[in-house]
């Protein structure tokens, strides 16, 4: 009786100890009937992939894709394709890790590493989530301002109230949350399909752009201060995000699986991969449409202000649009309104997934749990602070200065993703490569292992190469020679710190994996006796 009272008491605490299944409230709660047709089974497993795909089409992606199209036509289409294929590979491994090991990525890392490293990686991942949250705050606040003419300061505060939306969603069930996310993705997709269809793009150029060339990663050609390499790094950085790997390894466990039946586990892995790849294909289409918008909707070089304000204005300014059909529709204001609606939908989608991811990493790394609404309120209030400061500091300046400052804040906040990404990709690859962790059947095949290492090393190197420019961006649009030197020194220090931390993580993970393999052998020997 006393134990029951203690349990009831714990339920009312705002912050609790948590060391159970990932997202325990929804873990294994969705039944999937067997012996259904392929399409009915796929529908039953569909949903987690949509939650993950949201991160690949959040407001942080918009500016990089549209600006890349404006500056280099269809050249960077191949970068979006490569990023999407790498994303499919990484998300497949993340879902497989969750389903087979019954641990999300944060739990798996923490179980194989020291407590001190776990805390460091938790803080690093929290910073990355807050960085994406800043982009969501900016996107949602600007959308409210553009649609309803609400002053920016008030719009920023209104974004905090999305915690009430989250409270409502927690009451309606996880399957309905998945459905809402899918509906918002469809809204975003339809808006851009409509706008691109009106622009009548050069589809031959689009297809040609899907093939990468040496020029795609060149540093010799510069347009509006952007080289193809910096444009490529921007697209990659905005596309492949660390929090998606943690999220997918958790939400892939929402379907009920009989872990004593290897075939049931294999079926779950298979259909989770189908779900993920289909949803990420939609994300690829959305990002491609954004780049095509930059080329086909606007006249070349017409968009001087790549911020959301500038893009909204350009969609209603007939002098910036590329053909008569677009000009005729733009006069009604529908193009710009649809753009703002899609921006708002994107921000709300990211709100749901960002909160779930925050809970996953907090429980996994430091074994702490708090209600989703409180988690959202805390992280959103922290993320709102830099946005409010930016708005207030530029309130007395021109509209262009205000728009540029917000756009720079959004872009600069993404630098934290370059820090956190290797520390999610590398452990994920090491653990899914391990027979001790995954078993003979579910460990990565040779070709997945090869492509995985190529992707992880390639993305890590590209992120480190782009770090000096990312740091330099904090010094403004026209940095002095002294500031340029300081940016390089800071970047090199950060690169050394990242590599040292990676070496620590690899060492800890290898030791942890070896220890786990020895425990398995000992248990098998004991059972044999």
């Amino acid at each position: 009786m006393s134990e029951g009272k203690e349990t009831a008491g714990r339920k009312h605490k705002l912050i609790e100890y948590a060391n159970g299944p990932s997202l325990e409230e929804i873990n294994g709660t969705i039944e999937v009937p067997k012996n259904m047709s392929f399409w009915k089974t796929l529908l039953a497993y569909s949903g987690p992939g949509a939650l993950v795909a949201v991160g690949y089409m959040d407001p942080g992606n918009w500016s990089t894709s549209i600006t890349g199209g404006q500056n280099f036509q269809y050249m960077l289409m191949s970068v979006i394709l490569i990023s999407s294929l790498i994303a499919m590979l990484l998300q497949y491994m993340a879902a497989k890790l969750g389903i087979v090991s019954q641990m999300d990525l944060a739990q798996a890392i923490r179980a194989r590493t020291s407590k001190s490293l776990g805390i460091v990686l938790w803080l690093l991942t929290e910073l990355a989530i807050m960085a994406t949250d800043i982009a969501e705050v900016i996107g949602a606040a600007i959308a409210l301002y553009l649609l309803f003419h609400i002053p920016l300061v008030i719009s920023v505060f209104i974004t905090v109230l999305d915690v009430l939306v989250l409270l409502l969603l927690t009451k309606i069930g996880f399957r309905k949350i998945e459905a809402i996310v899918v509906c918002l993705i469809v809204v975003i997709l339809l808006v851009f399909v409509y706008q691109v269809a009106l622009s009548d793009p050069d589809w031959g150029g689009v297809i040609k752009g899907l093939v990468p060339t040496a020029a795609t990663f060149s540093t010799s050609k510069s347009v509006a201060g952007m080289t193809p390499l910096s444009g490529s790094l921007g697209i990659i950085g905005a596309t492949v995000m660390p929090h998606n790997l943690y999220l997918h390894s958790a939400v892939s466990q929402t379907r009920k699986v009989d872990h004593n039946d290897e075939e049931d586990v294999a079926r779950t892995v298979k259909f989770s991969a189908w779900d993920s790849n289909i949803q990420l294909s939609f994300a690829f289409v959305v990002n491609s449409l954004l780049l095509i918008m930059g080329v086909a909707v606007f006249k070349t070089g017409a968009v001087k202000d790549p911020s959301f304000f500038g893009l909204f204005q350009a969609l209603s300014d007939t002098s910036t649009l590329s053909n008569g059909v677009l000009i005729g529709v733009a006069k009604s204001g529908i193009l710009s309104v649809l753009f703002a609606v899609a921006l708002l939908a994107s921000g709300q989608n990211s709100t749901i997934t960002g909160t779930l991811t925050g809970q996953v990493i907090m429980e996994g790394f430091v074994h702490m749990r708090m209600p989703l609404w409180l988690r959202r309120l805390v992280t959103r209030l922290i993320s709102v602070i830099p946005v409010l400061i930016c708005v207030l500091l530029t309130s007395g300046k021109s509209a262009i200065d205000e728009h540029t400052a917000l756009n720079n804040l959004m872009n600069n906040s993404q630098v934290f993703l370059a820090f956190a990404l290797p520390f999610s990709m590398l452990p994920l690859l090491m653990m899914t490569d391990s027979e001790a962790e995954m078993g003979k059947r579910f460990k990565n095949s040779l070709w997945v292992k090869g492509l995985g290492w190529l992707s992880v090393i390639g993305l890590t190197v590209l992120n480190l190469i782009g770090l000096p420019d990312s740091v330099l961006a904090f010094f403004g649009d026209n940095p002095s020679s002294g500031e340029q030197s300081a940016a390089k020194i800071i970047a090199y220090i950060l690169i050394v710190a990242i590599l040292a931390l990676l070496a620590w993580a690899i060492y800890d993970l290898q030791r942890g994996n070896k220890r786990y393999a020895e425990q398995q052998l000992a248990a098998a020997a004991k059972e044999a006796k």
Side-chain angles (χ1 to χ4, degrees), residues 25-181:
E25 297 84 356
I26 56 176
N27 192 293
T29 57
I30 300 175
E31 294 270 2
V32 181
K34 296 181 181 180
N35 303 318
M36 295 191 298
S37 68
F38 173 86
W39 294 109
K40 286 184 177 179
T41 306
L42 178 59
L43 184 63
Y45 279 102
S46 295
L51 294 171
V52 170
V54 164
Y56 292 92
M57 57 179 94
D58 74 344
N61 294 63
W62 293 32
S63 178
T64 53
S65 295
I66 293 176
T67 306
Q70 272 280 286
N71 292 343
F72 304 110
Q73 302 296 293
Y74 299 111
M75 184 193 297
L76 302 186
M77 282 290 298
S78 59
V79 179
I80 295 177
L81 177 61
I82 292 168
S83 298
S84 299
L85 292 174
I86 292 173
M88 289 178 184
L89 182 67
L90 293 173
Q91 297 299 160
Y92 159 71
M93 288 191 283
K96 184 171 68 170
L97 175 70
I99 294 163
V100 175
S101 72
Q102 301 179 67
M103 292 189 290
D104 60 55
L105 181 57
Q107 290 173 328
I109 294 173
R110 179 65 188 88
R112 304 287 174 264
T113 57
S114 61
K115 183 178 180 181
S116 53
L117 180 60
I119 291 172
V120 170
L121 295 181
W122 170 58
L123 293 173
L124 197 60
T125 312
E126 286 284 11
L127 286 173
I129 290 176
M130 288 177 191
T132 58
D133 207 29
I134 286 173
E136 293 159 20
V137 169
I138 292 172
I142 292 175
L144 290 170
Y145 169 80
L146 295 174
L147 286 170
F148 308 110
H149 307 293
I150 300 171
L152 271 175
V153 172
I154 298 174
S155 294
V156 170
F157 277 113
I158 289 175
T159 66
V160 178
L161 298 179
D162 66 14
V163 70
L164 300 176
V165 176
L166 196 69
L167 264 177
L168 175 64
L169 292 177
T170 57
K171 304 296 182 185
I172 66 173
F174 193 72
R175 197 72 173 126
K176 292 186 178 69
I177 292 176
E178 291 174 343
I180 290 169
V181 168

Side-chain angles (χ1 to χ4, degrees), residues 90 93 105 109 245-246 420-433 452-453 456-457 460 498-499 501-507 509:
L90 293 173
M93 288 191 283
L105 181 57
I109 294 173
L245 303 178
Y246 293 100
L421 188 57
F423 299 100
S424 56
M425 292 192 302
L426 194 62
L428 173 65
L429 185 57
M430 289 177 67
M431 283 186 281
T432 51
D433 280 347
W453 279 106
V456 168
I457 292 171
T460 301
I498 290 171
L499 292 176
L501 192 55
L502 270 176
W504 182 14
I506 291 169
Y507 175 71
L509 284 165

Side-chain angles (χ1 to χ4, degrees), residues 162-223:
D162 66 14
V163 70
L164 300 176
V165 176
L166 196 69
L167 264 177
L168 175 64
L169 292 177
T170 57
K171 304 296 182 185
I172 66 173
F174 193 72
R175 197 72 173 126
K176 292 186 178 69
I177 292 176
E178 291 174 343
I180 290 169
V181 168
V182 169
C183 289
L184 290 172
I185 289 175
V186 170
V187 168
I188 297 166
L189 181 65
L190 291 178
V191 167
F192 292 130
V193 165
Y194 173 69
Q195 296 195 349
V196 168
L198 291 178
S199 68
D200 190 24
D202 174 13
W203 292 110
V206 171
I207 294 169
K208 186 178 177 182
L210 292 172
V211 181
T213 63
T216 306
F217 300 98
S218 168
T219 57
S220 57
K221 180 184 177 183
S222 178
V223 179

Side-chain angles (χ1 to χ4, degrees), residues 436-486:
E437 302 282 356
M438 305 297 290
K440 286 185 179 180
R441 179 167 183 177
F442 297 109
K443 73 172 185 176
N444 290 335
S445 62
L446 190 60
W447 72 270
V448 170
K449 185 175 182 178
L451 288 174
W453 279 106
L454 182 65
S455 301
V456 168
I457 292 171
L459 284 177
T460 301
V461 169
L462 284 173
N463 270 299
L464 295 181
I465 288 173
L467 199 54
D469 285 339
S470 298
V471 174
L472 185 60
F474 281 90
F475 290 93
D477 294 331
N478 298 299
S480 64
S481 57
E483 288 173 335
Q484 291 177 19
S485 299

